[in-house]
Amino acid sequence: QMQFGESGGGLVQPGGPLSSPCASSKIIFSINEMGWYRQAPGKPGELVASIESGGRKKYGGSVKGRFTITRHNAKNTMYLQMNSLKPEDTAVYLCNTHPTLASWGQGTQVTVSA
Protein backbone atom coordinates (compact mmCIF):
# COMPACT_ATOMS: atom_id res chain seq x y z
CA GLN A 1 0.00 0.00 0.00
CA MET A 2 1.41 3.32 -1.02
CA GLN A 3 1.72 5.84 1.80
CA PHE A 4 3.02 9.33 2.39
CA GLY A 5 4.57 10.94 5.43
CA GLU A 6 4.02 14.67 5.56
CA SER A 7 5.56 16.79 8.31
CA GLY A 8 6.84 20.27 9.04
CA GLY A 9 3.53 21.99 9.63
CA GLY A 10 2.78 24.28 12.55
CA LEU A 11 1.66 27.72 13.63
CA VAL A 12 3.33 30.63 11.89
CA GLN A 13 2.69 34.36 11.82
CA PRO A 14 1.54 36.05 8.61
CA GLY A 15 4.50 36.75 6.39
CA GLY A 16 6.56 33.96 7.89
CA PRO A 17 8.11 30.88 6.25
CA LEU A 18 7.56 27.17 6.71
CA SER A 19 9.05 24.12 5.03
CA SER A 20 7.35 20.76 4.75
CA PRO A 21 8.86 17.48 3.58
CA CYS A 22 6.91 14.56 2.17
CA ALA A 23 8.55 11.15 2.39
CA SER A 24 7.32 8.20 0.41
CA SER A 25 8.41 4.96 -1.15
CA LYS A 26 10.58 4.36 -4.18
CA ILE A 27 7.61 3.04 -6.12
CA ILE A 28 5.84 6.35 -5.60
CA PHE A 29 8.76 8.37 -6.85
CA SER A 30 9.04 6.18 -9.91
CA ILE A 31 5.76 7.78 -10.99
CA ASN A 32 6.38 10.82 -13.11
CA GLU A 33 4.61 13.68 -11.39
CA MET A 34 4.12 14.42 -7.68
CA GLY A 35 1.95 17.08 -6.09
CA TRP A 36 1.28 19.02 -2.91
CA TYR A 37 -2.40 19.55 -2.13
CA ARG A 38 -4.24 21.38 0.62
CA GLN A 39 -7.64 21.07 2.25
CA ALA A 40 -9.11 23.92 4.25
CA PRO A 41 -12.36 23.60 6.25
CA GLY A 42 -15.37 24.38 4.12
CA LYS A 43 -13.34 24.66 0.94
CA PRO A 44 -12.69 22.19 -1.88
CA GLY A 45 -9.32 20.47 -2.03
CA GLU A 46 -6.74 22.35 -4.04
CA LEU A 47 -3.61 21.36 -5.94
CA VAL A 48 -0.94 23.72 -4.61
CA ALA A 49 2.00 22.68 -6.77
CA SER A 50 3.31 19.75 -8.78
CA ILE A 51 6.71 18.60 -9.97
CA GLU A 52 7.74 16.09 -12.62
CA SER A 53 10.63 13.69 -12.13
CA GLY A 54 12.71 15.82 -14.48
CA GLY A 55 12.08 18.90 -12.34
CA ARG A 56 9.41 20.75 -14.32
CA LYS A 57 7.17 22.60 -11.85
CA LYS A 58 3.64 24.01 -11.86
CA TYR A 59 2.00 26.23 -9.24
CA GLY A 60 -1.51 27.24 -8.35
CA GLY A 61 -2.23 30.90 -8.90
CA SER A 62 -2.73 31.64 -5.21
CA VAL A 63 0.78 30.47 -4.24
CA LYS A 64 2.84 31.29 -7.31
CA GLY A 65 5.83 33.39 -6.38
CA ARG A 66 5.57 32.45 -2.70
CA PHE A 67 5.84 28.64 -2.62
CA THR A 68 8.58 26.45 -4.08
CA ILE A 69 8.27 22.72 -4.71
CA THR A 70 11.34 20.50 -4.99
CA ARG A 71 12.07 16.79 -4.96
CA HIS A 72 15.04 14.59 -4.09
CA ASN A 73 14.49 11.35 -5.99
CA ALA A 74 17.35 9.47 -4.33
CA LYS A 75 15.75 10.15 -0.94
CA ASN A 76 12.19 9.56 -2.18
CA THR A 77 11.28 12.90 -0.65
CA MET A 78 9.47 15.98 -1.90
CA TYR A 79 9.53 19.41 -0.25
CA LEU A 80 7.31 22.47 -0.13
CA GLN A 81 8.95 25.72 0.89
CA MET A 82 6.28 28.22 1.84
CA ASN A 83 7.21 31.89 2.14
CA SER A 84 5.17 35.04 2.78
CA LEU A 85 2.42 32.94 4.31
CA LYS A 86 -1.08 34.38 4.53
CA PRO A 87 -4.00 33.46 6.81
CA GLU A 88 -5.79 32.04 3.75
CA ASP A 89 -2.96 29.49 3.40
CA THR A 90 -4.24 27.81 6.57
CA ALA A 91 -5.06 24.21 5.67
CA VAL A 92 -4.01 20.60 5.98
CA TYR A 93 -1.26 20.02 3.43
CA LEU A 94 -1.01 16.60 1.82
CA CYS A 95 1.12 15.02 -0.87
CA ASN A 96 0.23 12.48 -3.51
CA THR A 97 0.95 11.66 -7.10
CA HIS A 98 -0.50 13.97 -9.75
CA PRO A 99 -3.06 12.99 -10.74
CA THR A 100 -3.81 11.26 -7.46
CA LEU A 101 -3.31 7.52 -7.64
CA ALA A 102 -2.45 6.57 -4.07
CA SER A 103 -4.11 6.54 -0.67
CA TRP A 104 -3.85 9.82 1.24
CA GLY A 105 -1.60 10.21 4.26
CA GLN A 106 -2.45 12.15 7.41
CA GLY A 107 -1.19 15.45 6.06
CA THR A 108 0.35 18.23 8.09
CA GLN A 109 -1.58 21.17 9.55
CA VAL A 110 -0.37 24.64 8.62
CA THR A 111 -1.96 27.50 10.55
CA VAL A 112 -1.15 31.10 9.68
CA SER A 113 -2.29 33.45 12.39
CA ALA A 114 -1.07 36.38 14.44
Side-chain angles (χ1 to χ4, degrees), residues 26-65:
K26 187 175 183 179
I27 192 172
I28 293 283
F29 272 74
S30 69
I31 295 171
N32 185 38
E33 192 166 359
M34 297 292 297
W36 273 102
Y37 302 79
R38 67 185 181 187
Q39 178 70 61
K43 296 182 180 180
E46 176 186 10
L47 174 66
V48 174
S50 65
I51 183 168
E52 297 176 5
S53 59
R56 183 177 179 182
K57 307 172 185 179
K58 303 172 193 173
Y59 295 95
S62 62
V63 306
K64 197 169 186 178

Side-chain angles (χ1 to χ4, degrees), residues 1-90:
Q1 186 176 3
M2 296 185 282
Q3 290 288 336
F4 303 95
E6 303 95 342
S7 61
L11 174 64
V12 61
Q13 292 189 341
L18 207 59
S19 181
S20 289
C22 164
S24 189
S25 63
K26 187 175 183 179
I27 192 172
I28 293 283
F29 272 74
S30 69
I31 295 171
N32 185 38
E33 192 166 359
M34 297 292 297
W36 273 102
Y37 302 79
R38 67 185 181 187
Q39 178 70 61
K43 296 182 180 180
E46 176 186 10
L47 174 66
V48 174
S50 65
I51 183 168
E52 297 176 5
S53 59
R56 183 177 179 182
K57 307 172 185 179
K58 303 172 193 173
Y59 295 95
S62 62
V63 306
K64 197 169 186 178
R66 299 188 297 122
F67 290 12
T68 301
I69 187 172
T70 56
R71 63 190 287 168
H72 195 305
N73 291 334
K75 294 183 177 180
N76 302 323
T77 302
M78 179 173 63
Y79 304 89
L80 186 67
Q81 176 66 43
M82 297 173 276
N83 295 327
S84 303
L85 281 161
K86 303 176 181 180
E88 51 263 43
D89 294 319
T90 295

